[in-house]
Coordinates of all heavy atoms in Angstrom, one line a residue:
M1 N -19.6 10.7 14.7 CA -18.5 10.2 13.9 C -17.7 9.1 14.7 O -17.3 9.4 15.9 CB -17.6 11.3 13.6 CG -16.5 10.9 12.7 SD -15.5 12.4 12.1 CE -16.3 12.7 10.6
T2 N -17.6 8.0 14.0 CA -16.9 6.9 14.8 C -15.4 6.9 14.5 O -14.9 7.7 13.7 CB -17.5 5.5 14.3 OG1 -17.2 5.3 13.0 CG2 -19.0 5.5 14.5
A3 N -14.7 6.0 15.2 CA -13.2 5.9 15.0 C -12.9 5.4 13.6 O -12.0 5.8 13.0 CB -12.7 5.0 16.0
V4 N -13.8 4.6 13.1 CA -13.6 4.1 11.7 C -13.7 5.2 10.7 O -12.9 5.3 9.8 CB -14.6 2.9 11.3 CG1 -14.5 2.5 9.9 CG2 -14.4 1.8 12.3
D5 N -14.6 6.1 10.9 CA -14.7 7.3 10.0 C -13.5 8.2 10.1 O -13.0 8.7 9.0 CB -15.9 8.1 10.3 CG -17.2 7.3 10.0 OD1 -17.2 6.4 9.1 OD2 -18.2 7.6 10.7
I6 N -12.9 8.3 11.2 CA -11.8 9.2 11.5 C -10.5 8.6 10.8 O -9.7 9.2 10.0 CB -11.5 9.4 13.0 CG1 -12.6 10.2 13.5 CG2 -10.1 10.1 13.2 CD1 -12.6 10.4 15.0
L7 N -10.4 7.2 10.9 CA -9.3 6.5 10.3 C -9.5 6.5 8.8 O -8.4 6.7 8.0 CB -9.2 5.0 10.8 CG -8.8 5.0 12.3 CD1 -9.0 3.5 12.7 CD2 -7.5 5.4 12.4
L8 N -10.7 6.4 8.2 CA -10.9 6.5 6.7 C -10.5 7.9 6.3 O -9.9 8.0 5.2 CB -12.3 6.1 6.4 CG -12.6 4.7 6.4 CD1 -14.1 4.5 6.3 CD2 -11.9 3.9 5.4
G9 N -10.8 8.9 7.0 CA -10.4 10.2 6.7 C -8.9 10.4 6.6 O -8.3 11.1 5.8
A10 N -8.2 9.8 7.6 CA -6.7 9.9 7.7 C -6.1 9.2 6.5 O -5.1 9.7 5.9 CB -6.2 9.3 9.0
L11 N -6.7 8.1 6.1 CA -6.2 7.4 4.9 C -6.5 8.1 3.7 O -5.6 8.2 2.8 CB -6.9 6.0 4.8 CG -6.5 4.9 5.9 CD1 -7.3 3.7 5.8 CD2 -4.9 4.6 5.9
A12 N -7.6 8.8 3.6 CA -7.8 9.7 2.5 C -6.9 10.9 2.4 O -6.6 11.3 1.3 CB -9.3 10.2 2.5
A13 N -6.4 11.3 3.5 CA -5.5 12.3 3.5 C -4.1 11.9 3.1 O -3.2 12.7 2.5 CB -5.4 13.1 4.9
V14 N -3.7 10.7 3.4 CA -2.4 10.2 3.1 C -2.3 9.8 1.6 O -1.2 9.9 1.0 CB -2.1 8.9 3.9 CG1 -0.9 8.1 3.4 CG2 -1.9 9.3 5.4
M15 N -3.3 9.5 1.0 CA -3.4 9.0 -0.5 C -2.8 10.1 -1.4 O -1.9 9.6 -2.2 CB -4.7 8.5 -0.9 CG -4.8 7.9 -2.2 SD -3.7 6.4 -2.4 CE -4.8 5.3 -1.8
P16 N -3.2 11.3 -1.3 CA -2.6 12.2 -2.3 C -1.0 12.4 -2.1 O -0.3 12.6 -3.1 CB -3.3 13.6 -2.1 CG -4.6 13.2 -1.3 CD -4.2 11.9 -0.6
V17 N -0.6 12.3 -0.9 CA 0.8 12.5 -0.6 C 1.6 11.3 -1.3 O 2.6 11.4 -1.9 CB 1.1 12.6 0.9 CG1 2.6 12.6 1.2 CG2 0.4 13.7 1.6
A18 N 1.0 10.1 -1.1 CA 1.7 9.0 -1.7 C 1.7 9.0 -3.2 O 2.6 8.7 -3.9 CB 1.0 7.6 -1.2
L19 N 0.6 9.5 -3.8 CA 0.5 9.6 -5.3 C 1.4 10.7 -5.8 O 2.0 10.5 -6.8 CB -0.9 9.9 -5.7 CG -1.9 8.8 -5.5 CD1 -3.4 9.2 -5.8 CD2 -1.5 7.6 -6.3
W20 N 1.7 11.8 -5.0 CA 2.6 12.8 -5.4 C 4.0 12.2 -5.4 O 4.8 12.5 -6.3 CB 2.5 14.0 -4.4 CG 3.5 15.0 -4.7 CD1 3.4 15.9 -5.8 CD2 4.7 15.2 -4.0 NE1 4.6 16.7 -5.7 CE2 5.4 16.3 -4.7 CE3 5.3 14.7 -3.0 CZ2 6.6 16.7 -4.3 CZ3 6.5 15.1 -2.5 CH2 7.2 16.2 -3.2
R21 N 4.3 11.5 -4.4 CA 5.6 10.8 -4.3 C 5.9 9.9 -5.4 O 7.0 9.7 -5.9 CB 5.8 10.2 -2.9 CG 7.2 9.4 -2.8 CD 8.4 10.3 -3.1 NE 8.5 11.4 -2.3 CZ 9.4 12.4 -2.6 NH1 10.2 12.3 -3.6 NH2 9.5 13.5 -1.8
L22 N 4.8 9.2 -5.8 CA 4.9 8.3 -7.0 C 5.2 9.1 -8.2 O 6.0 8.6 -9.0 CB 3.6 7.5 -7.1 CG 3.4 6.5 -8.3 CD1 4.5 5.4 -8.1 CD2 2.1 6.0 -8.3
A23 N 4.6 10.1 -8.4 CA 4.8 10.9 -9.6 C 6.1 11.7 -9.6 O 6.8 11.9 -10.6 CB 3.7 11.9 -9.8
A24 N 6.5 12.2 -8.4 CA 7.6 13.1 -8.3 C 8.9 12.4 -7.9 O 10.0 13.1 -8.0 CB 7.3 14.3 -7.5
G25 N 8.8 11.2 -7.3 CA 10.0 10.6 -6.8 C 11.2 10.6 -7.7 O 11.2 10.2 -8.8
P26 N 12.4 11.1 -7.2 CA 13.5 11.2 -8.0 C 14.2 9.9 -8.4 O 14.8 9.7 -9.5 CB 14.5 12.0 -7.2 CG 14.0 12.0 -5.9 CD 12.6 11.6 -5.9
T27 N 14.0 8.8 -7.6 CA 14.6 7.6 -7.8 C 13.5 6.4 -7.9 O 12.4 6.6 -7.5 CB 15.6 7.2 -6.7 OG1 14.9 7.0 -5.5 CG2 16.7 8.2 -6.5
D28 N 14.0 5.4 -8.5 CA 13.0 4.2 -8.6 C 12.7 3.7 -7.2 O 11.5 3.2 -7.0 CB 13.7 3.1 -9.4 CG 13.8 3.4 -10.9 OD1 13.0 4.3 -11.3 OD2 14.7 2.8 -11.5
A29 N 13.6 3.7 -6.3 CA 13.3 3.2 -4.9 C 12.2 4.1 -4.3 O 11.3 3.6 -3.6 CB 14.6 3.3 -4.1
D30 N 12.2 5.4 -4.5 CA 11.1 6.3 -4.0 C 9.8 5.9 -4.6 O 8.8 5.8 -3.9 CB 11.4 7.7 -4.3 CG 12.6 8.3 -3.5 OD1 12.8 7.8 -2.4 OD2 13.2 9.2 -4.0
R31 N 9.8 5.5 -5.9 CA 8.5 5.2 -6.5 C 8.1 3.9 -6.0 O 6.9 3.7 -5.8 CB 8.7 5.2 -8.1 CG 8.9 6.6 -8.6 CD 9.0 6.6 -10.1 NE 9.0 8.0 -10.6 CZ 10.0 8.6 -10.9 NH1 11.2 8.1 -10.7 NH2 9.9 9.9 -11.3
V32 N 8.9 3.0 -5.7 CA 8.5 1.6 -5.3 C 7.9 1.8 -3.8 O 6.8 1.2 -3.5 CB 9.7 0.6 -5.2 CG1 9.4 -0.6 -4.4 CG2 10.1 0.3 -6.7
V33 N 8.5 2.6 -3.1 CA 8.0 2.8 -1.7 C 6.6 3.6 -1.8 O 5.6 3.2 -1.0 CB 9.0 3.7 -0.9 CG1 8.3 4.2 0.5 CG2 10.2 2.9 -0.5
A34 N 6.5 4.5 -2.7 CA 5.2 5.1 -2.9 C 4.1 4.2 -3.4 O 3.0 4.2 -2.9 CB 5.3 6.3 -3.8
V35 N 4.4 3.2 -4.3 CA 3.5 2.3 -4.8 C 3.0 1.3 -3.6 O 1.9 1.0 -3.4 CB 4.0 1.4 -5.9 CG1 3.2 0.2 -6.3 CG2 4.1 2.3 -7.2
D36 N 4.0 0.9 -2.8 CA 3.7 0.1 -1.7 C 2.9 0.8 -0.7 O 1.9 0.3 -0.1 CB 5.0 -0.4 -1.0 CG 4.9 -1.5 0.0 OD1 4.1 -2.3 -0.3 OD2 5.6 -1.5 1.1
L37 N 3.2 2.1 -0.4 CA 2.3 2.8 0.5 C 0.9 3.0 0.0 O 0.0 2.9 0.8 CB 3.0 4.2 0.8 CG 2.1 5.2 1.7 CD1 2.0 4.6 3.1 CD2 2.8 6.5 1.8
T38 N 0.8 3.3 -1.3 CA -0.5 3.4 -1.9 C -1.3 2.1 -1.8 O -2.5 2.1 -1.4 CB -0.5 3.8 -3.4 OG1 0.3 5.0 -3.5 CG2 -1.8 3.9 -4.0
F39 N -0.7 1.0 -2.0 CA -1.4 -0.3 -1.9 C -1.7 -0.6 -0.4 O -2.8 -1.1 -0.1 CB -0.4 -1.4 -2.3 CG -1.0 -2.8 -2.4 CD1 -2.0 -3.1 -3.4 CD2 -0.7 -3.8 -1.5 CE1 -2.6 -4.3 -3.4 CE2 -1.3 -5.0 -1.5 CZ -2.3 -5.3 -2.5
V40 N -0.9 -0.3 0.6 CA -1.2 -0.5 2.0 C -2.4 0.4 2.3 O -3.3 -0.1 3.1 CB 0.0 -0.2 2.8 CG1 -0.3 -0.1 4.3 CG2 1.1 -1.3 2.6
V41 N -2.5 1.6 1.9 CA -3.6 2.5 2.2 C -4.8 2.0 1.7 O -5.9 1.9 2.3 CB -3.3 3.9 1.7 CG1 -4.5 4.8 1.7 CG2 -2.1 4.6 2.5
L42 N -4.8 1.4 0.4 CA -6.0 0.9 -0.2 C -6.4 -0.4 0.5 O -7.7 -0.5 0.9 CB -5.7 0.5 -1.6 CG -5.7 1.7 -2.6 CD1 -5.3 1.3 -4.0 CD2 -7.0 2.4 -2.7
V43 N -5.5 -1.2 0.9 CA -5.9 -2.5 1.7 C -6.4 -2.1 3.1 O -7.4 -2.7 3.5 CB -4.7 -3.4 1.8 CG1 -5.0 -4.6 2.7 CG2 -4.4 -3.9 0.4
A44 N -5.8 -1.1 3.7 CA -6.4 -0.7 5.1 C -7.8 -0.1 4.9 O -8.6 -0.3 5.8 CB -5.4 0.4 5.7
A45 N -7.9 0.7 3.8 CA -9.3 1.2 3.6 C -10.4 0.2 3.4 O -11.4 0.2 3.9 CB -9.3 2.2 2.5
V46 N -10.0 -0.9 2.7 CA -10.9 -2.0 2.5 C -11.2 -2.7 3.8 O -12.3 -3.1 4.1 CB -10.4 -3.0 1.4 CG1 -11.2 -4.2 1.3 CG2 -10.4 -2.3 0.1
A47 N -10.1 -2.9 4.6 CA -10.3 -3.6 5.9 C -11.2 -2.7 6.8 O -12.1 -3.2 7.5 CB -8.9 -3.8 6.6
L48 N -11.0 -1.4 6.8 CA -11.8 -0.6 7.6 C -13.3 -0.6 7.1 O -14.3 -0.5 7.9 CB -11.4 0.8 7.6 CG -10.1 1.1 8.5 CD1 -9.6 2.5 8.3 CD2 -10.4 0.8 10.0
L49 N -13.5 -0.6 5.9 CA -14.9 -0.7 5.3 C -15.5 -2.1 5.6 O -16.7 -2.1 5.9 CB -14.9 -0.4 3.8 CG -14.6 0.9 3.3 CD1 -14.4 1.1 1.8 CD2 -15.7 1.9 3.8
A50 N -14.7 -3.1 5.7 CA -15.2 -4.4 6.1 C -15.7 -4.4 7.6 O -16.7 -5.0 7.9 CB -14.1 -5.5 5.9
V51 N -14.9 -3.6 8.4 CA -15.3 -3.5 9.8 C -16.5 -2.7 9.9 O -17.5 -3.0 10.7 CB -14.1 -2.9 10.6 CG1 -14.5 -2.5 12.0 CG2 -12.9 -3.9 10.7
R52 N -16.6 -1.7 9.2 CA -17.8 -0.8 9.2 C -19.0 -1.5 8.8 O -20.1 -1.2 9.3 CB -17.6 0.4 8.3 CG -18.6 1.5 8.4 CD -18.2 2.6 7.5 NE -19.0 3.8 7.9 CZ -18.9 4.9 7.2 NH1 -18.1 5.0 6.2 NH2 -19.6 5.9 7.6
T53 N -18.9 -2.3 7.7 CA -20.1 -3.0 7.2 C -20.4 -4.4 7.9 O -21.3 -5.1 7.5 CB -20.1 -3.2 5.7 OG1 -18.9 -4.0 5.4 CG2 -20.0 -1.9 5.0
R54 N -19.4 -4.8 8.7 CA -19.5 -6.1 9.4 C -19.5 -7.2 8.4 O -20.2 -8.2 8.6 CB -20.6 -6.1 10.4 CG -20.5 -5.1 11.5 CD -21.5 -5.3 12.6 NE -21.1 -4.5 13.7 CZ -21.7 -3.5 14.2 NH1 -22.8 -3.2 13.7 NH2 -21.2 -2.9 15.2
E55 N -18.7 -7.2 7.4 CA -18.6 -8.3 6.4 C -17.2 -8.9 6.6 O -16.2 -8.5 6.2 CB -18.6 -7.7 5.0 CG -20.0 -7.2 4.5 CD -20.9 -8.4 4.2 OE1 -20.4 -9.4 3.9 OE2 -22.0 -8.1 4.4
S56 N -17.3 -10.1 7.3 CA -16.0 -10.8 7.6 C -15.4 -11.5 6.4 O -14.3 -11.8 6.3 CB -16.3 -11.9 8.7 OG -17.3 -12.8 8.2
A57 N -16.3 -11.7 5.3 CA -15.7 -12.4 4.1 C -14.6 -11.5 3.4 O -13.8 -12.0 2.8 CB -16.8 -12.8 3.2
V58 N -14.8 -10.2 3.5 CA -13.9 -9.3 2.9 C -12.5 -9.4 3.5 O -11.5 -9.1 2.9 CB -14.5 -7.9 2.9 CG1 -13.5 -6.9 2.3 CG2 -15.8 -7.8 2.2
L59 N -12.5 -9.8 4.7 CA -11.2 -9.8 5.5 C -10.3 -10.9 4.9 O -9.0 -10.7 5.0 CB -11.3 -10.0 6.9 CG -12.1 -8.8 7.7 CD1 -12.3 -9.2 9.1 CD2 -11.3 -7.5 7.5
V60 N -10.8 -11.9 4.3 CA -10.0 -12.9 3.6 C -9.3 -12.2 2.4 O -8.1 -12.5 2.1 CB -10.8 -14.1 3.1 CG1 -10.0 -15.0 2.3 CG2 -11.4 -14.8 4.3
L61 N -10.1 -11.4 1.7 CA -9.5 -10.7 0.5 C -8.3 -9.7 1.0 O -7.3 -9.6 0.4 CB -10.5 -9.8 -0.1 CG -10.1 -8.8 -1.2 CD1 -9.6 -9.6 -2.4 CD2 -11.2 -7.9 -1.5
V62 N -8.5 -9.1 2.2 CA -7.5 -8.3 2.8 C -6.2 -9.1 3.1 O -5.1 -8.6 2.8 CB -8.0 -7.5 4.0 CG1 -7.0 -6.8 4.8 CG2 -9.1 -6.5 3.6
L63 N -6.4 -10.2 3.6 CA -5.2 -11.1 4.0 C -4.5 -11.5 2.7 O -3.3 -11.4 2.6 CB -5.7 -12.3 4.7 CG -6.1 -12.1 6.2 CD1 -6.7 -13.3 6.8 CD2 -4.9 -11.6 7.0
V64 N -5.2 -11.9 1.6 CA -4.5 -12.3 0.4 C -3.9 -11.1 -0.2 O -2.7 -11.2 -0.7 CB -5.6 -12.9 -0.5 CG1 -5.0 -13.2 -1.9 CG2 -6.1 -14.3 0.1
A65 N -4.5 -10.0 -0.3 CA -3.9 -8.8 -0.9 C -2.6 -8.4 -0.1 O -1.7 -8.0 -0.7 CB -4.9 -7.6 -0.9
T66 N -2.7 -8.5 1.2 CA -1.5 -8.1 2.0 C -0.3 -9.1 1.6 O 0.8 -8.6 1.5 CB -1.8 -8.3 3.6 OG1 -2.9 -7.4 3.8 CG2 -0.7 -7.9 4.3
L67 N -0.6 -10.3 1.6 CA 0.5 -11.3 1.2 C 1.0 -11.0 -0.2 O 2.2 -11.0 -0.4 CB -0.1 -12.8 1.3 CG 0.9 -13.9 0.9 CD1 2.1 -13.8 1.8 CD2 0.2 -15.2 0.9
V68 N 0.1 -10.8 -1.2 CA 0.6 -10.5 -2.5 C 1.4 -9.2 -2.6 O 2.4 -9.1 -3.2 CB -0.7 -10.4 -3.5 CG1 -0.2 -9.8 -4.8 CG2 -1.2 -11.8 -3.6
G69 N 0.9 -8.2 -1.8 CA 1.7 -6.9 -1.8 C 3.0 -7.1 -1.2 O 4.0 -6.4 -1.7
F70 N 3.1 -7.9 -0.1 CA 4.5 -8.1 0.5 C 5.4 -8.9 -0.4 O 6.5 -8.5 -0.6 CB 4.2 -8.9 1.8 CG 5.6 -9.4 2.4 CD1 6.3 -8.5 3.1 CD2 5.9 -10.7 2.4 CE1 7.5 -8.8 3.7 CE2 7.1 -11.1 2.9 CZ 7.9 -10.2 3.6
L71 N 4.9 -9.9 -1.1 CA 5.7 -10.6 -2.1 C 6.1 -9.7 -3.2 O 7.2 -9.8 -3.7 CB 5.1 -11.9 -2.5 CG 4.8 -12.9 -1.4 CD1 3.9 -14.1 -1.9 CD2 6.1 -13.4 -0.8
A72 N 5.2 -8.9 -3.7 CA 5.6 -8.0 -4.8 C 6.6 -7.0 -4.3 O 7.6 -6.7 -5.2 CB 4.4 -7.3 -5.2
T73 N 6.6 -6.5 -3.2 CA 7.6 -5.6 -2.6 C 8.9 -6.2 -2.6 O 10.0 -5.7 -2.9 CB 7.2 -5.0 -1.3 OG1 5.9 -4.3 -1.5 CG2 8.2 -4.0 -0.7
I74 N 9.0 -7.4 -2.1 CA 10.2 -8.2 -2.0 C 10.8 -8.4 -3.4 O 12.0 -8.3 -3.7 CB 10.0 -9.5 -1.3 CG1 9.6 -9.3 0.1 CG2 11.3 -10.4 -1.3 CD1 10.6 -8.7 1.0
A75 N 10.0 -8.8 -4.3 CA 10.5 -9.1 -5.7 C 11.0 -7.8 -6.4 O 12.0 -7.8 -7.0 CB 9.3 -9.6 -6.5
V76 N 10.3 -6.7 -6.2 CA 10.8 -5.4 -6.8 C 12.0 -4.9 -6.1 O 13.0 -4.4 -6.8 CB 9.7 -4.3 -6.7 CG1 10.2 -3.0 -7.1 CG2 8.5 -4.7 -7.6
A77 N 12.2 -5.1 -4.9 CA 13.4 -4.7 -4.1 C 14.6 -5.6 -4.6 O 15.7 -5.0 -4.8 CB 13.2 -4.9 -2.6
H78 N 14.4 -6.9 -4.9 CA 15.3 -7.7 -5.4 C 15.8 -7.3 -6.8 O 17.0 -7.2 -7.1 CB 14.8 -9.2 -5.4 CG 15.9 -10.2 -5.9 ND1 17.0 -10.4 -5.2 CD2 15.9 -10.9 -7.1 CE1 17.7 -11.3 -5.9 NE2 17.0 -11.6 -7.0
L79 N 14.9 -7.0 -7.6 CA 15.2 -6.5 -9.0 C 15.9 -5.2 -8.9 O 16.8 -4.9 -9.7 CB 13.9 -6.3 -9.8 CG 13.2 -7.5 -10.2 CD1 11.9 -7.2 -10.9 CD2 14.1 -8.3 -11.2
L80 N 15.6 -4.2 -8.0 CA 16.3 -3.0 -8.0 C 17.8 -3.2 -7.5 O 18.6 -2.5 -7.9 CB 15.6 -2.0 -7.0 CG 14.3 -1.3 -7.6 CD1 13.6 -0.5 -6.5 CD2 14.6 -0.5 -8.8
E81 N 17.9 -4.1 -6.5 CA 19.2 -4.4 -6.0 C 20.1 -5.0 -7.1 O 21.3 -4.6 -7.3 CB 19.1 -5.4 -4.8 CG 20.5 -5.7 -4.2 CD 20.3 -6.7 -3.1 OE1 19.2 -6.9 -2.6 OE2 21.4 -7.3 -2.7
R82 N 19.5 -5.9 -7.9 CA 20.3 -6.5 -9.0 C 20.7 -5.5 -10.1 O 21.7 -5.5 -10.6 CB 19.5 -7.7 -9.6 CG 19.5 -8.9 -8.8 CD 18.7 -10.0 -9.4 NE 19.2 -10.3 -10.7 CZ 18.5 -11.0 -11.6 NH1 17.4 -11.5 -11.3 NH2 19.0 -11.2 -12.9
R83 N 19.8 -4.5 -10.3 CA 20.0 -3.5 -11.3 C 21.1 -2.5 -10.9 O 21.9 -2.0 -11.8 CB 18.7 -2.8 -11.7 CG 18.9 -1.9 -12.9 CD 17.5 -1.4 -13.5 NE 16.9 -0.5 -12.5 CZ 15.9 0.1 -12.8 NH1 15.3 0.0 -14.0 NH2 15.3 1.0 -12.0
N84 N 21.2 -2.3 -9.6 CA 22.2 -1.3 -9.1 C 23.6 -1.9 -8.8 O 24.4 -1.2 -8.4 CB 21.6 -0.6 -7.9 CG 20.5 0.3 -8.2 OD1 20.3 0.8 -9.3 ND2 19.6 0.5 -7.3
R85 N 23.8 -3.2 -9.1 CA 25.0 -3.8 -8.8 C 26.0 -3.4 -9.9 O 25.6 -3.2 -11.1 CB 24.9 -5.3 -8.8 CG 24.4 -5.8 -7.6 CD 24.4 -7.3 -7.6 NE 23.7 -7.8 -6.4 CZ 23.4 -9.1 -6.2 NH1 23.6 -10.0 -7.1 NH2 22.7 -9.5 -5.1
P86 N 27.3 -3.2 -9.6 CA 28.2 -2.8 -10.7 C 28.6 -3.9 -11.6 O 28.4 -5.1 -11.4 CB 29.5 -2.4 -9.9 CG 29.3 -2.9 -8.5 CD 27.8 -3.2 -8.3

């Protein structure tokens, strides 16, 4: 068993916790954090699979997905902040 396999197993263990927080989160902010965590876990799993299969072209997809996820998180945080203003 390699380190990549161990890390993929750890990511697989984190995913149900993030999905539970997404479903049960009492506030919108909890749900946004859970969606962001779920996205990060998926991108990390794709990156680890790219390392495992030695496919460097997939890493470009990982970089683009990371940028899109970051920008989406900023946009949703801005919307939540505007909605919670008095």
Side-chain angles (χ1 to χ4, degrees):
M1 183 173 266
T2 64
V4 173
D5 294 330
I6 294 170
L7 291 172
L8 283 171
L11 290 175
V14 169
M15 187 60 84
V17 176
L19 292 175
W20 176 77
R21 177 51 62 191
L22 178 63
T27 65
D28 289 337
D30 289 332
R31 288 186 174 93
V32 169
V33 170
V35 167
D36 193 39
L37 177 62
T38 303
F39 187 73
V40 167
V41 168
L42 286 174
V43 170
V46 170
L48 286 172
L49 289 173
V51 168
R52 185 179 198 184
T53 60
R54 296 192 165 116
E55 287 289 331
S56 61
V58 178
L59 294 177
V60 174
L61 173 68
V62 169
L63 287 172
V64 170
T66 303
L67 179 62
V68 169
F70 174 73
L71 294 175
T73 301
I74 296 295
V76 170
H78 181 68
L79 288 173
L80 285 176
E81 181 182 347
R82 286 182 51 197
R83 189 166 70 173
N84 290 333
R85 286 185 185 166

